[in-house]
Amino acid sequence: MNTNFYTIINIIAMAIVIFGLYLMQKRHFSFTARVLSALGAGIVVGVALQLIYGPGSEAVASSNTWLNIVGSGYVRLLNMIVIPLVFVAITTSIVNQDAQNLRRSALSIIVVLMLTTAISAGVGAGIASLFKLDSSTLIAGQAETDRGEVLNTTLTEFQAKSIPDQITEIIPKNIFYAMTGQGSSATLSIVFFAGFLGIATIGLRKKKPESAKAFTDFLNMLHDIVMRMVTMVLRLTPYGVFALLGKFVSTSNFTEISKLFEFVLASYSAIFIMFVVHILILTFYRLNPFTYLRKAVTVLSFAFSSRSSAGALPLNIETQTEKFGVSRGVANLSASLGTSIGQNGCAGIYPAMLAVMIATGTGIPMDITFFAKLIVITAISSFGIAGVGGGATFAALTVLSSMGLPVALVGLLIAIEPLIDMARTSLNVSGSMVAGLVTAKRIGEIDMDVYDNGKAVAEAE
């Protein structure tokens, strides 16, 4: 039998799963149940394709081409609404809050994001030392060597820009170009412009109150429209999760992954510890951690399968407002800023682990000064890291180059990058939600009745 026959059989099986998820929606299964079911179905289908055909077979590649319509289509829809969502989230957060509350909430969110990133860097460095990770034990294949050469080229381009130039790039020369998502500072550029526009609107209230009110009403109307678009896209989340995870599992080379199992285990250990840190922070602020985990499981599951903090932004905001009772302003700020600042997994744990791993392999002495410098540099460098696939690599380039360490060795981890990126992304999203919850609790912008209510869910209509 030819490949086309097997492809048709596989497509039929995938269609049955998708239809099953549709029936669950029609029968009013909870959104969380549907997402978790999709997660499990994606793993089962991926493993089945691996066992039957093998990861490199034509039947798997051909089947995934069709499955990719669902997965990539869903991700593209998310990417389509992320930029408008960031824009309306920041502007409405500013124009609908008084200046004092705005300063307090923004400062608190940034501080929490930075502190948790510093902690995550310390955890990553500590775990790497505990596991005695050593880059000298890795053997580079052709793919890894090519990847290392690309990273060196990227580093050369990165170092051509001074730190003042990199900071200046946050200010967009053309806001419409920034809104296309081009460049590593695109999201921060949009945040800057949205903040600038919001502050200008507030300043206009004294001189031309009618104009300021009309524009504020327009922004709120635009926010409502964008959030309706978000709801429409979020309805498709179970299907997207199934397709994304099914493709990932069916195409992963677990033989290559097994060679770097120790690094995978160390990475997941560090990520688990940081989740515990998040739980301890919430407990300190008297927020029930079990309630948090139960209500956050949907957005964390999506972040795990999509590997995109920016893609999880709509679900992040909805989870904070509808499930946790966080005010819309704080949720918008924390979720939006969390896509580019203080990503605990990609910009904290990962670069710190690589730094210790490479320093060990190259014989660089590691004393208290080394670790202190590493933590500070990692925290500062977490500004502007894009919340999409590949953001962790850019974070690693920034930290390693600042520490004077070779960057080509990052290419050695090419085989396991997707696997650890899944958990890192979940941690990133958790960090932004923790920042929102802590800030909301501190300034009294959280409805504890909603947070404590076990039935409060963010359902797609």
Side-chain angles (χ1 to χ4, degrees):
M1 296 183 184
N2 58 29
T3 300
N4 290 336
F5 174 79
Y6 292 121
T7 299
I8 292 172
I9 295 298
N10 296 336
I11 292 174
I12 292 174
M14 294 171 181
I16 291 174
V17 174
I18 292 174
F19 183 69
L21 294 173
Y22 172 75
L23 288 180
M24 290 181 69
Q25 180 179 353
K26 282 297 184 181
R27 294 177 181 177
H28 305 291
F29 280 76
S30 70
F31 188 62
T32 299
R34 284 183 278 135
V35 171
L36 293 179
S37 297
L39 197 70
I43 294 174
V44 170
V45 169
V47 170
L49 291 175
Q50 279 258 22
L51 294 176
I52 297 171
Y53 306 103
S57 71
E58 291 184 12
V60 172
S62 179
S63 301
N64 280 327
T65 299
W66 291 95
L67 186 62
N68 205 40
I69 295 176
V70 179
S72 293
Y74 178 66
V75 171
R76 290 174 73 91
L77 283 172
L78 285 171
N79 290 334
M80 177 186 73
I81 63 174
V82 162
I83 297 301
L85 181 57
V86 170
F87 176 76
V88 299
I90 297 297
T91 51
T92 55
S93 295
I94 292 174
V95 299
N96 292 323
Q97 290 191 64
D98 61 70
Q100 184 176 1
N101 266 353
L102 176 63
R103 284 194 297 267
R104 290 173 60 197
S105 58
L107 180 61
S108 175
I109 289 168
I110 293 174
V111 168
V112 173
L113 288 172
M114 294 293 289
L115 284 178
T116 52
T117 301
I119 294 172
S120 66
V123 169
I127 289 295
S129 299
L130 182 64
F131 276 74
K132 298 180 180 179
L133 297 180
D134 186 343
S135 61
S136 65
T137 61
L138 301 178
I139 300 176
Q142 185 58 48
E144 290 81 2
T145 301
D146 293 342
R147 177 64 172 163
E149 292 175 357
V150 171
L151 290 174
N152 274 323
T153 301
T154 303
L155 177 62
T156 301
E157 296 173 354
F158 172 74
Q159 290 177 330
K161 301 176 183 177
S162 64
I163 293 178
D165 287 340
Q166 295 171 40
I167 295 174
T168 304
E169 280 189 353
I170 295 175
I171 304 174
K173 292 189 297 183
N174 185 333
I175 187 58
F176 298 105
Y177 177 76
M179 284 185 173
T180 64
Q182 302 297 314
S184 59
S185 300
T187 304
L188 277 181
S189 295
I190 294 168
V191 170
F192 178 88
F193 177 77
F196 195 77
L197 181 64
I199 293 172
T201 304
I202 292 176
L204 191 65
R205 288 174 180 169
K206 294 182 179 179
K207 296 183 178 180
K208 296 184 177 180
E210 293 182 358
S211 297
K213 183 180 183 306
F215 190 64
T216 298
D217 291 340
F218 169 75
L219 290 175
N220 287 327
M221 177 188 69
L222 188 61
H223 178 272
D224 292 340
I225 293 173
V226 171
M227 291 310 299
R228 180 57 187 172
M229 293 170 60
V230 167
T231 299
M232 293 169 64
V233 174
L234 290 184
R235 289 177 178 175
L236 305 175
T237 298
Y239 312 105
V241 167
F242 163 68
L244 291 169
L245 205 57
K247 180 184 177 183
F248 168 76
V249 175
S250 66
T251 56
S252 294
N253 190 329
F254 292 103
T255 301
E256 292 296 321
I257 291 173
S258 65
K259 296 178 182 178
L260 296 168
F261 177 74
E262 189 176 21
F263 185 82
V264 174
L265 180 60
S267 297
Y268 271 78
S269 298
I271 291 168
F272 175 77
I273 291 173
M274 271 310 299
F275 269 114
V276 173
V277 171
H278 288 175
I279 293 303
L280 292 176
I281 292 173
L282 294 175
T283 303
F284 178 80
Y285 281 92
R286 297 182 180 179
L287 293 165
N288 190 316
F290 299 105
T291 300
Y292 169 78
L293 291 174
R294 186 174 65 254
K295 293 184 175 184
V297 65
T298 302
V299 62
L300 296 182
S301 297
F302 170 74
F304 184 85
S305 58
S306 68
R307 298 170 51 204
S308 173
S309 301
L313 177 63
L315 198 54
N316 186 339
I317 293 176
E318 285 301 300
T319 299
Q320 288 195 55
T321 54
E322 301 299 327
K323 291 186 179 182
F324 295 147
V326 174
S327 68
R328 178 69 63 176
V330 172
N332 286 343
L333 279 176
S334 64
S336 300
L337 293 176
T339 62
S340 295
I341 297 175
Q343 295 189 349
N344 292 184
C346 291
I349 288 176
Y350 186 63
M353 289 186 69
L354 290 185
V356 171
M357 187 176 180
I358 294 171
T360 301
T362 54
I364 296 175
M366 293 182 290
D367 52 15
I368 188 65
T369 303
F370 174 89
F371 286 105
K373 179 181 178 182
L374 175 62
I375 291 173
V376 172
I377 288 177
T378 302
I380 295 174
S381 300
S382 68
F383 271 83
I385 301 302
V388 295
T393 298
F394 185 78
L397 285 176
T398 306
V399 173
L400 295 179
S401 62
S402 300
M403 294 290 292
L405 299 172
V407 301
L409 293 176
V410 177
L412 298 174
L413 304 175
I414 186 174
I416 60 171
E417 174 64 19
L419 180 60
I420 57 178
D421 193 40
M422 299 168 84
R424 287 194 312 237
T425 306
S426 290
L427 184 63
N428 294 341
V429 173
S430 178
S432 70
M433 290 195 293
V434 168
L437 283 166
V438 168
T439 297
K441 188 66 184 296
R442 290 182 60 191
I443 65 176
E445 292 286 336
I446 184 173
D447 187 338
M448 290 304 300
D449 289 335
V450 173
Y451 184 89
D452 293 328
N453 182 6
K455 296 182 179 179
V457 293
E459 289 288 348
E461 297 179 8

